[in-house]
Amino acid sequence: MKIKSILLSQPKPADVAKTPYEAIIKKFNVNIEFEKFIKLEEVSASDLRQEKVKLNDFTAVILTSRNTIDHFFRIAKEMRYTIPEDLKYFCVSESTAQYLQHYVQYRKRKIFHEPTFAELVGTMKKHKEEKFFLPSSNLVTTEDHDTMLAEAKLDYTKAVIFRTVSADLSHVDISKYDMLVFFSPAGIDSLKENFPNFVQDENVAIGGFGHSTCKAITDAGYTLNFSAPTPSCPSMNMAIEEFINNEIKKAKKK
């Protein structure tokens, strides 16, 4: 398999030269392009009101991503809800918690974070008196979250505050790429929606980042040629480089 043109299903960075992908471009003389396969749509405050969701009913909020944080504060503003200083924030990952600094004075707020949702629930169990709000996307699979929260006997309400939908890719010629790289299951949905006639042959490699993305690739009937993170390749750029190196070695043996 000869790789000359790669499509990454991500927004184009402000400066590609400052990304790890620049080293791949130079080392293998390949073309790397970026294309946003998905976009986010807002759920309005009026939609939430119809679901009888009132933010002042809650004393704590569960935040699973930066997008969730952005849309939570957007909804609060639309609802003209003044967020109380004693609201507790329970975040999945330290980086998500740190992102709260865009909206609140971090050191003056009650902020908790754990690396996984399961561990976060363990922390939340120490605050059983709270009424939790779980904002989410329409594509976030929260069945396990629901199960864990229910088993912990926590008082919570879940609501969709933004939707992830396929972007318009009518300007993209998918046939010119030797490698397609995906970072979310929604990207695979977008591929199928935008290119219903796309067929992966032996000359096209597909890579996925994360278990759910890789599963979506195989569930859609495609071959998963490489993935990340792995013990040898914790990042996608490393996985791409390893795959191309292996293909070059195979070609030399023939």
Side-chain angles (χ1 to χ4, degrees):
M1 187 180 294
K2 193 172 184 180
I3 306 299
K4 283 296 181 183
S5 188
I6 302 171
L7 179 62
L8 300 180
S9 60
Q10 285 187 326
K12 185 177 181 179
D15 189 351
V16 178
K18 293 183 179 180
T19 71
Y21 298 109
E22 179 67 12
I24 296 175
I25 294 172
K26 292 181 177 179
K27 182 176 181 178
F28 300 107
N29 191 29
V30 297
N31 175 52
I32 295 182
E33 295 181 14
F34 298 81
E35 193 67 51
K36 192 173 181 180
F37 270 51
I38 58 177
K39 62 180 181 179
L40 302 182
E41 289 186 348
E42 299 177 353
V43 170
S44 68
S46 60
D47 288 337
L48 282 187
R49 290 192 185 97
Q50 288 180 9
E51 295 182 22
K52 299 181 179 179
V53 174
K54 298 179 181 178
L55 296 184
N56 56 12
D57 288 342
F58 308 106
T59 58
V61 58
I62 307 167
L63 301 167
T64 57
S65 69
R66 293 184 178 189
N67 284 330
T68 307
I69 290 175
D70 287 337
H71 286 276
F72 170 71
F73 283 94
R74 173 188 59 81
I75 282 289
K77 185 176 181 180
E78 287 183 15
M79 287 185 158
R80 297 179 181 177
Y81 167 64
T82 301
I83 298 175
E85 291 189 5
D86 60 353
L87 180 71
K88 293 181 179 179
Y89 302 87
F90 292 83
C91 306
V92 178
S93 83
E94 183 177 1
S95 62
T96 299
Q98 291 287 343
Y99 188 71
L100 278 168
Q101 294 179 95
H102 288 76
Y103 296 96
V104 300
Q105 289 183 296
Y106 192 84
R107 293 181 180 179
K108 294 186 178 182
R109 297 297 185 270
K110 297 176 181 179
I111 300 171
F112 308 85
H113 61 81
E114 297 291 349
T116 67
F117 194 86
E119 290 172 283
L120 187 65
V121 170
T123 299
M124 292 163 61
K125 287 169 70 175
K126 300 175 184 177
H127 302 265
K128 281 195 171 184
E129 73 283 359
E130 306 297 340
K131 292 182 180 296
F132 295 92
F133 178 50
L134 175 60
S136 71
S137 160
N138 62 315
L139 292 186
V140 173
T141 303
T142 57
E143 284 81 2
D144 289 341
H145 293 178
D146 289 333
T147 299
M148 285 186 275
L149 292 169
E151 288 179 349
K153 297 181 179 179
L154 295 170
D155 183 359
Y156 79 99
T157 298
K158 180 178 65 179
V160 172
I161 62 170
F162 65 98
R163 298 185 180 91
T164 304
V165 299
S166 299
D168 179 8
L169 301 176
S170 57
H171 59 286
V172 175
D173 180 5
I174 201 73
S175 65
K176 74 177 187 179
Y177 300 102
D178 311 303
M179 178 185 287
L180 306 176
V181 183
F182 296 92
F183 297 85
S184 72
I188 303 302
D189 291 337
S190 181
L191 173 67
K192 293 190 294 182
E193 184 176 329
N194 280 280
F195 310 102
N197 298 320
F198 170 75
V199 177
Q200 179 189 12
D201 59 28
E202 69 273 9
N203 297 313
V204 178
I206 293 181
F209 188 88
H211 173 74
S212 59
T213 303
C214 294
K215 185 177 184 299
I217 290 170
T218 56
D219 285 350
Y222 304 123
T223 297
L224 177 67
N225 299 97
F226 63 95
S227 64
T230 65
S232 62
C233 298
S235 64
M236 180 50 76
N237 61 289
M238 293 175 69
I240 292 172
E241 184 171 349
E242 181 180 76
F243 178 81
I244 296 177
N245 271 325
N246 289 338
E247 290 300 305
I248 293 173
K249 290 177 183 177
K250 289 178 185 177
K252 288 181 178 179
K253 290 179 179 180
K254 292 182 179 179

